[in-house]
Amino acid sequence: MLRHPLRPVAAAAATLAALGGLTAMTTGPVSASPAPRPRHVLLLSVDGLHQSDLAWYVARHPHSALARLAGGGVEYTHARTTVPSDSFPGLVGQLTGGDPGVTGVYYDDTYSNALLPAGTTRCAGVEPGVEVDLTEDLDRNQNSIDAGQGLSGLPGSILKMTGDAARLINPAKLPVDPKTCKPVYPHSYLKVNTVFDVARKAGLRTAWSDKHVAYEILDGPSGDGIQDLFAPEINSQAIGYPTGQDWTKDNAATEQYDAYKVKAVLNEIDGRDHSGAHKTGVPAVFGMNFQSVSTAQKLPVSDGLTGGYTTAGVPGPLLAKNLAFVDQEVGAFLREIHKRGLDGSTTVILSSKHGQSPTDPKALTRIDDGPLLDGLNAAWKAAHPGAADLVAHAVDDDAMLLWLSDRSQAAAEFAKAYLLAQSGTGNGIDGAAKAFTASGLKTVYAGAEAARYFHVRPGDSRVPDLFGISRYGVVYTGGKGKIAEHGGAHADDLAVPLVIYGAATPHDVRVNASVRTTQIAPTILRLLGLNPRALDAVRIEHTHSLPTR
């Protein structure tokens, strides 16, 4: 029900009320003049952030920048990200409008039964089937924050990193297309176009900042959707920290890393490229991801502060500190937008690629998945003498995705039955032994069931042959260094914030109806006056824009 939002146009009220479950927090006169068309959309992803985290912080800091966003725009209190809830399908969904079955992107480390192994130069007769790695492993130098560009004076000189991220990908590490016998870059692996593709075709400027050069996947099939992609490598050696520590292993390092991307976006708000060295004009579509909240949720302790949650849903001191850090940086964006006179032409969208699970520390059960997969392979070979390992590729964070060497339904059912029969001992939040059953799994989709779950045909070359949804609190890890993960289908994985604030957006509106982060993509195009149906995934999935006006 709509109760007099501050300044919506009449059409906005009708659209929002049609969704149901809507409340507003202030009253005021309805403006008779139409809202101006925004010319810029700034998209911010705070990886790991839940809607409950945002609500917790805003309640305690009502005058904060995050409170200004949530209270001054449209807040969607029941937004859900993609399944699997990983960074790549999550952000790809936000910028294409599609789910993994349509985009073809299931995880940052996945598998294709149609492509050939990296390094293949003579393709005739080569058996397809290869890992598709979209992580730091693609960098020319994964140990350097500049991904191998060779800059001097790092990390202080990192803003000089090229905006042409594809240059820093090592083609020898890419899977090979059997039809062309050439490497498949991430942007070519994506099955559908992106917001950046559409914006470029309309003559608009585009920019993005993220954590791996593999995020050139967002260029889309055109290969040139993003004009300025700033992608310092987060999993490189953190300069000034102990050898072997990347920027995620110490939360202060993650904040330092995020601050480089913040500076890049501030430069873009000022009408320059990410380095600040060249005048380019303010991008029509731009933004970044924050990583520091995610590491604060995962690390048991960092910088003398306890990570994660103290009790169910209550952020601990490290996470609270990082929420304040993100708030500070969001405030910097808002001040710069105002300083440059862009308030009336800029819309800010705040969301997250994924959540993190569990938010109840007592629920944590850490399980080493290595012995489970080794046991599955041994059982398969015992039942099938001479056979290869059944598991061709596995990704297990707080869900289980398996690609099998034998793609028959019988093999998938064998894997399902084996895993559901396994019990053992993991450990809990205090490190003490904690029993588990069914390999920590609640539900397992095998073979054709997995294909149906992701709305693709059985035998699809990219869909996992087995998708296991873990029991709440399960994190697959061999040690005690993690207290949370993502990738699964729990509410903690999926329930992310979604706020739209700024130009052409009504104030103080709360939408309680269920929405999805894939709706961000058509919304961005609509805000820019472009046709949402220019997006392939929007046409395929019939993805609707969010109600913002």
Side-chain angles (χ1 to χ4, degrees):
M1 177 180 177
L2 182 67
R3 294 186 302 201
H4 312 297
L6 184 57
R7 288 183 297 152
V9 294
T15 304
L16 288 164
L19 278 188
L22 181 68
T23 61
M25 298 182 290
T26 62
T27 61
V30 175
S31 172
S33 60
R37 174 72 65 188
R39 291 178 291 153
H40 313 287
V41 177
L42 174 62
L43 175 62
L44 304 174
S45 173
V46 185
D47 294 8
L49 189 67
H50 305 96
Q51 169 61 23
S52 58
D53 298 328
L54 178 63
W56 180 91
Y57 188 84
V58 167
R60 286 156 181 78
H61 304 277
H63 303 296
S64 62
L66 290 175
R68 179 179 171 187
L69 289 185
V74 182
E75 181 181 15
Y76 304 85
T77 60
H78 289 79
R80 295 291 184 270
T81 189
T82 60
V83 177
S85 54
D86 179 56
S87 295
F88 264 80
L91 187 61
V92 166
Q94 290 183 26
L95 289 165
T96 65
D99 287 296
V102 167
T103 66
V105 179
Y106 288 87
Y107 229 82
D108 65 357
D109 184 13
T110 181
Y111 194 86
S112 170
N113 284 285
L115 299 178
L116 305 183
T120 302
T121 56
R122 296 182 180 181
C123 296
V126 177
E127 188 74 18
V130 63
E131 177 184 5
V132 179
D133 195 340
L134 299 171
T135 69
E136 67 276 8
D137 292 336
L138 292 188
D139 299 356
R140 290 188 179 274
N141 180 359
Q142 67 188 63
N143 292 316
S144 178
I145 190 172
D146 69 357
Q149 184 172 338
L151 294 173
S152 60
L154 291 171
S157 63
I158 190 58
L159 288 172
K160 295 180 181 179
M161 187 176 178
T162 179
D164 183 5
R167 287 174 45 197
L168 301 176
I169 290 176
N170 184 351
K173 297 180 178 180
L174 295 170
V176 174
D177 185 340
K179 296 178 181 178
T180 64
C181 211
K182 293 182 179 180
V184 177
Y185 278 78
H187 72 264
S188 296
Y189 189 71
L190 182 62
K191 289 184 174 182
V192 296
N193 64 351
T194 71
V195 165
F196 297 116
D197 271 319
V198 177
R200 283 298 309 278
K201 287 182 178 179
L204 303 178
R205 182 163 179 81
T206 58
W208 186 254
S209 298
D210 222 298
K211 59 186 179 179
H212 306 303
V213 294
Y215 274 91
E216 73 95 51
I217 195 171
L218 300 174
D219 274 333
S222 69
D224 61 3
I226 305 176
Q227 289 168 285
D228 187 2
L229 176 56
F230 178 55
E233 179 52 63
I234 194 169
N235 292 124
S236 63
Q237 170 64 47
I239 300 170
Y241 290 84
T243 301
Q245 280 197 4
D246 66 28
W247 298 92
T248 70
K249 297 301 188 292
D250 184 294
N251 192 248
T254 316
E255 288 187 356
Q256 179 182 341
Y257 168 86
D258 278 347
Y260 298 132
K261 292 181 292 184
V262 168
K263 179 57 178 174
V265 173
L266 289 171
N267 286 338
E268 290 159 357
I269 293 172
D270 290 344
R272 296 180 176 272
D273 69 352
H274 77 264
S275 73
H278 306 286
K279 290 185 178 180
T280 57
V282 182
V285 187
F286 64 127
M288 64 167 283
N289 85 303
F290 286 92
Q291 201 68 28
S292 55
V293 164
S294 180
T295 61
Q297 292 167 324
K298 288 184 177 184
L299 294 171
V301 64
S302 186
D303 309 314
L305 299 174
T306 301
Y309 298 81
T310 55
T311 56
V314 178
L318 185 64
L319 180 53
K321 170 179 172 285
N322 275 265
L323 294 173
F325 168 77
V326 170
D327 178 75
Q328 169 188 305
E329 304 305 335
V330 170
F333 292 147
L334 297 180
R335 288 190 298 274
E336 198 69 15
I337 288 169
H338 176 73
K339 177 182 176 181
R340 297 298 175 181
L342 300 172
D343 307 70
S345 61
T346 303
T347 298
V348 179
I349 301 178
L350 177 78
S351 191
S352 180
K353 299 174 186 176
H354 57 78
Q356 212 91 260
S357 181
T359 59
D360 182 355
K362 292 181 179 179
L364 177 66
T365 304
R366 287 177 285 222
I367 299 174
D368 187 351
D369 56 317
L372 295 173
L373 300 182
D374 290 343
L376 171 57
N377 285 329
W380 174 256
K381 289 190 285 189
H384 302 81
D389 284 347
L390 180 58
V391 180
H393 188 65
V395 177
D396 311 323
D397 286 324
D398 76 336
M400 188 173 285
L401 286 76
L402 303 184
W403 288 263
L404 305 179
S405 59
D406 182 333
R407 304 203 73 201
S408 68
Q409 186 65 35
E413 294 293 347
F414 182 97
K416 176 179 178 178
Y418 177 86
L419 291 169
L420 291 177
Q422 304 308 304
S423 59
T425 304
N427 63 84
I429 188 67
D430 57 359
K434 194 171 184 179
F436 67 84
T437 59
S439 299
L441 298 168
K442 178 182 178 181
T443 307
V444 177
Y445 299 92
E449 293 175 334
R452 283 193 294 271
Y453 185 91
F454 290 110
H455 306 290
V456 297
R457 294 179 180 178
D460 177 271
S461 64
R462 301 187 187 186
V463 70
D465 296 296
L466 183 146
F467 179 58
I469 299 175
S470 66
R471 300 184 182 192
Y472 180 66
V474 166
V475 171
Y476 293 107
T477 179
K480 300 178 182 179
K482 288 183 182 179
I483 57 174
E485 258 298 354
H486 55 269
H490 297 291
D492 285 356
D493 293 311
L494 304 178
V496 296
L498 179 48
V499 176
I500 303 182
Y501 168 91
T505 304
H507 291 193
D508 302 321
V509 173
R510 183 170 294 162
V511 177
N512 294 323
S514 179
V515 297
R516 305 197 60 228
T517 55
T518 52
Q519 294 178 255
I520 291 172
T523 301
I524 290 173
L525 294 187
R526 186 165 64 87
L527 287 167
L528 295 173
L530 303 176
N531 184 0
R533 288 184 59 78
L535 288 168
D536 301 330
V538 165
R539 296 193 306 275
I540 295 168
E541 292 196 20
H542 307 289
T543 311
H544 296 290
S545 298
L546 293 161
T548 58
R549 51 178 303 187

